[in-house]
């Protein structure tokens, strides 16, 4: 059994982070790629979790800050992750799935699964404590390209402090598998 499955979205991030990550990895830990973007990250994470049965998952890599609440160049632990882009409309007219009464996952028909909304909790006591907690990470299919993009996202998710493309997807895969997840991004 894999103790900790450490996931990195891209090979570039893996090459840059592997020397640092290797210092904290223990026997039984595994470093692997989850893939770039939400679709690949969800599918690959589900497969890796099913194959290696980790006790926990740690997602690491880069994120873009939304506003100035986080320092540039810092790494942060996220206790929640939300999904932006699944719902109805675009731009100022966008409505998240939850505001329309839709779940990303309604739960198991037998009643033994948990419904998944627009936001998921993550974070365990096993997370690296050298990184400060940051709050809400917002996952989207495309990074913000302008200040207007950031303002639109902040209007919908005012507590979001950073954005990525894989966090929510990895969180869904881990939630469905019952595996705890920590996210550390910089």
């Amino acid at each position: 059994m894999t103790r900790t499955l450490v996931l990195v979205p891209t090979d570039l991030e893996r090459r840059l982070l592997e020397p640092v990550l290797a210092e904290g990895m223990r026997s039984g830990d595994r470093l692997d790629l989850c893939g770039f973007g939400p679709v690949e990250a969800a599918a690959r994470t589900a497969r890796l979790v099913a194959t290696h049965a980790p006790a926990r998952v740690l997602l690491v890599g880069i994120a873009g800050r939304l506003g100035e609440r986080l320092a540039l160049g810092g790494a942060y632990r996220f206790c929640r992750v939300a999904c932006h882009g699944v719902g109805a409309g675009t731009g100022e007219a966008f409505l998240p799935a939850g505001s329309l009464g839709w779940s990303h996952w309604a739960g198991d028909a037998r009643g033994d699964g948990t419904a998944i909304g627009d936001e998921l909790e993550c974070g365990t006591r096993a997370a690296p404590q050298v990184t400060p907690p940051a709050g809400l990470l917002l996952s989207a299919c495309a990074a913000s390209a302008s200040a207007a993009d950031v303002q639109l996202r902040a209007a919908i998710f005012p507590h979001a402090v950073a954005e990525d493309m894989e966090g929510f997807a990895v969180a869904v895969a881990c939630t469905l598998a019952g595996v705890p997840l920590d996210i550390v991004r910089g």
Side-chain angles (χ1 to χ4, degrees):
M1 179 167 131
T2 301
R3 289 167 37 149
T4 300
L5 176 61
V6 181
L7 297 176
V8 183
T10 66
D11 192 52
L12 172 64
E13 290 167 298
R14 183 190 53 77
R15 286 194 316 268
L16 294 172
L17 292 171
E18 194 166 23
V20 176
L21 294 170
E23 292 176 20
M25 292 184 71
R26 302 169 295 182
S27 176
D29 291 349
R30 178 182 177 86
L31 175 64
D32 214 321
L33 296 174
C34 66
F36 178 68
V39 174
E40 181 66 24
R44 178 92 172 129
T45 299
R47 182 175 183 189
L48 288 168
V49 167
T51 301
H52 299 290
R56 71 184 267 263
V57 173
L58 172 63
L59 173 63
V60 298
I62 62 170
R65 71 180 187 159
L66 296 172
E68 300 192 13
R69 293 176 275 183
L70 302 180
L72 284 176
Y76 296 90
R77 285 181 289 119
F78 292 90
C79 59
R80 294 176 299 138
V81 62
C83 178
H84 175 70
V86 176
T90 59
E92 292 180 9
F94 174 74
L95 296 170
S99 71
L100 299 167
W102 301 335
S103 296
H104 293 261
W105 172 250
D108 193 311
R110 295 182 310 260
D112 57 358
T114 302
I116 296 173
D118 293 326
E119 202 171 298
L120 286 169
E121 297 288 325
C122 55
T124 68
R125 292 196 173 131
Q129 299 301 310
V130 294
T131 55
L136 181 64
L137 176 66
L138 184 62
S139 293
C141 288
S144 295
S146 67
D149 286 348
V150 172
Q151 288 175 345
L152 282 171
R153 290 176 183 185
I156 299 166
F157 295 95
H159 299 294
V161 295
E163 66 182 0
D164 77 344
M165 294 180 191
E166 300 83 17
F168 188 78
V170 171
V172 167
C174 288
T175 298
L176 291 175
V179 177
L181 168 68
D182 288 299
I183 299 176
V184 176
R185 310 248 7 200

